[in-house]
Amino acid sequence: MAESKLEDQLANQARISGDGAPSDEDDDIVDPWNVAGKADTGIDYDKLIKRFGCERISPELIARLEKVTGQTAHPLLRRGMFFSHRDLLHIITRKEQNKPFYLYTGRGPSSRAMHVGHMVPFMFTKWLQDAFDVPLVIQLTDDEKFLWKNISIEESMMLARENAKDIISVGFDMEKTFIFSDFSYIGQCPQFYQNIALVSRSVTFNQARGCFGFGDSDCIGKIHFPSIQAAPCLATSFPHIFKNRKDIPCLIPCAIDQDPYFRMTRDVAPRLGYLKPALMHSTFFPALQGAQSKMSASDENSAIFVTDTAAQIKKKINKFAFSGGKASVEEHREFGGNCDIDVSYQYLRFFCPDDDKLEEIRQNYTSGKMLTGELKAILIAELQKMVADLQLRRAKITEQEVDEFMRPRPLKFNY
Ligand code: TYM
């Protein structure tokens, strides 16, 4: 008893470094399950960087990445949507030195269709895959959604497979990509489960509570789950790709809500003889109602889904997209609109590929020359095209293709 008390005390002292929990009432709430910022200003990302202990992606770092890949940075990087990182310089240096690394990202299949916000990290990951030419592993955490949502194991596995099709439709190269569902892969690969066990032994309950905010009434499956999201950071979880090499680190592109999992992993990995995973974080694609919350699949009216029809997209944008325009046309013409809070403009920053067009829209809306209805019409056309392209590609994906993406197999690389 005395011994376990001492253990608790030590564990409390040894919290995961910079565990990122809100320290005052004024802090935004950002964790893997909740995102809420201020009603008027949205999420303060600078404050978040400080609290989480990560670093802003600087123009110099972007320039180095462009140099080593020989590619112009993706718009999501140029425009600051991917805004923060951990150890990106290590990865760039490895690329410069021709040393191996891989990309790791994932999806928790909670809904049949993904929303366009979910596609942000995957679109960016596709660019990274092309630019770096390295292996990519994509984890589908059907077990996570079984534990957190009121759905059966069968349903969560079915959703994982459906979401795999959405992900494949982004255009990933099969020869360089392995997609796996936790429920299936754990049975196929003993090393994956062994790594999960190794991670889980390295984190105390107190540390997990500090990092994730678990409470006494959370089931023990939830408390154990972070070790399952951590294990793909260890290259030996994929013996068919990396043989049994421990010295290959990963780079994880994701929105910043997933950071707690990897803060924990970065603490554990060196103790297990691995390099720390590096990260690139994106801001949140906002809900239609505004930047104080992220687009969420559980609120139909907050989100545009990749399954939405052109008519649904038009209706949702016109009805729900929060406007930074003025109350009357006269006032708008005189004082102009506010792009910082206008959801349609913010969406275009994520998805409009043309920098010049975006800048022209910004100037015209800010000066009052462009009205809210005109801005919304531009966004509607852009989103309709993007979603229609995804749907077209998804319709062509066969079950055999999905099976192949999800089959443990060597990828194109030689290690
Ligand atoms: P999930 O399914 O909640 O989200 C999938 C990916 O989308 C990001 N994301 C968003 N990005 C921009 N705007 C939004 N509104 C938005 N909402 C979600 C998430 O950060 C994530 O990158 N536990 C994870 C699955 C997972 C994972 C990973 C994610 C397993 N391993 C490794 C990233 C990296 C989850 O439930 O993601």
Side-chain angles (χ1 to χ4, degrees), residues 55-68 73 77 83-93 96 132 279-280:
E55 283 178 63
R56 191 165 266 287
I57 298 179
S58 65
E60 294 75 35
L61 207 51
I62 296 178
R64 258 185 93 170
L65 196 139
E66 287 186 322
K67 190 162 173 232
V68 74
L77 189 55
F83 73 108
S84 146
H85 77 100
R86 295 181 187 274
D87 281 343
L88 178 57
L89 189 55
H90 286 182
I91 293 293
I92 292 176
T93 310
E96 283 164 356
F132 281 136
L279 285 112
M280 290 178 88

Side-chain angles (χ1 to χ4, degrees), residues 134-409:
V134 291
L136 162 65
V137 297
I138 300 177
Q139 179 180 40
L140 302 173
T141 50
D142 39 13
D143 49 350
E144 176 188 17
K145 293 306 154 182
F146 165 72
L147 290 165
W148 262 270
K149 306 268 168 186
N150 190 18
I151 56 176
S152 66
I153 290 182
E154 293 70 26
E155 191 180 353
S156 67
M157 289 180 80
M158 180 275 288
L159 294 176
R161 199 171 165 92
E162 287 306 307
N163 286 184
K165 294 177 191 164
D166 292 334
I167 293 167
I168 294 168
S169 71
V170 172
F172 292 106
D173 183 340
M174 191 193 279
E175 291 193 322
K176 301 180 193 169
T177 310
F178 172 52
I179 304 178
F180 61 102
S181 112
D182 286 343
F183 277 135
S184 306
Y185 189 50
I186 280 177
Q188 294 168 319
C189 180
Q191 290 91 333
F192 182 41
Y193 185 63
Q194 288 160 13
N195 283 340
I196 292 168
L198 280 166
V199 173
S200 69
R201 197 176 64 171
S202 308
V203 182
T204 65
F205 174 53
N206 274 329
Q207 287 174 322
R209 189 167 45 196
C211 197
F212 298 96
F214 294 129
D216 287 349
S217 53
D218 279 312
C219 72
I220 58 174
K222 288 186 182 178
I223 295 149
H224 176 256
F225 174 76
S227 48
I228 304 176
Q229 186 152 330
C233 299
L234 313 183
T236 51
S237 295
F238 307 102
H240 53 282
I241 306 174
F242 306 113
K243 315 289 185 323
N244 287 315
R245 282 183 66 168
K246 286 181 92 172
D247 61 339
I248 305 182
C250 66
L251 169 64
I252 306 169
C254 59
I256 197 159
D257 60 335
Q258 299 298 309
D259 190 67
Y261 287 115
F262 304 118
R263 278 201 295 274
M264 183 198 86
T265 315
R266 283 170 58 83
D267 248 51
V268 171
R271 285 190 268 144
L272 297 177
Y274 292 83
L275 293 159
K276 292 182 179 191
L279 285 112
M280 290 178 88
H281 300 121
S282 79
T283 57
F284 298 108
F285 191 80
L288 283 163
Q289 287 72 13
Q292 67 278 12
S293 65
K294 68 167 184 171
M295 184 169 271
S296 161
S298 46
D299 179 359
E300 273 258 329
N301 292 331
S302 81
I304 306 286
F305 292 91
V306 292
T307 44
D308 280 351
T309 62
Q312 281 171 317
I313 293 173
K314 183 173 177 193
K315 194 171 157 201
K316 282 189 192 174
I317 299 291
N318 280 334
K319 190 163 173 197
F320 297 117
F322 184 79
S323 165
K326 296 289 180 296
S328 68
V329 173
E330 296 70 35
E331 240 187 291
H332 187 87
R333 293 273 188 228
E334 191 177 346
F335 301 108
N338 182 351
C339 283
D340 292 341
I341 57 165
D342 189 278
V343 162
S344 302
Y345 177 75
Q346 292 304 322
Y347 283 13
L348 284 169
R349 284 190 72 220
F350 277 85
F351 293 136
C352 173
D354 183 336
D355 290 339
D356 294 337
K357 183 175 167 191
L358 187 68
E359 178 54 18
E360 198 186 328
I361 293 168
R362 195 190 64 76
Q363 285 180 13
N364 288 343
Y365 194 64
T366 311
S367 70
K369 194 170 160 194
M370 179 180 282
L371 299 175
T372 296
E374 294 168 304
L375 175 58
K376 286 193 172 187
I378 297 172
L379 173 67
I380 289 165
E382 202 70 63
L383 276 180
Q384 284 174 334
K385 180 176 172 330
M386 187 184 97
V387 169
D389 285 349
L390 286 170
Q391 288 173 356
L392 206 69
R393 285 204 292 270
R394 193 188 196 279
K396 290 190 189 141
I397 297 166
T398 62
E399 294 301 325
Q400 288 84 341
E401 249 178 287
V402 181
D403 287 342
E404 190 57 13
F405 266 102
M406 300 185 75
R407 185 172 67 84
R409 74 214 126 90

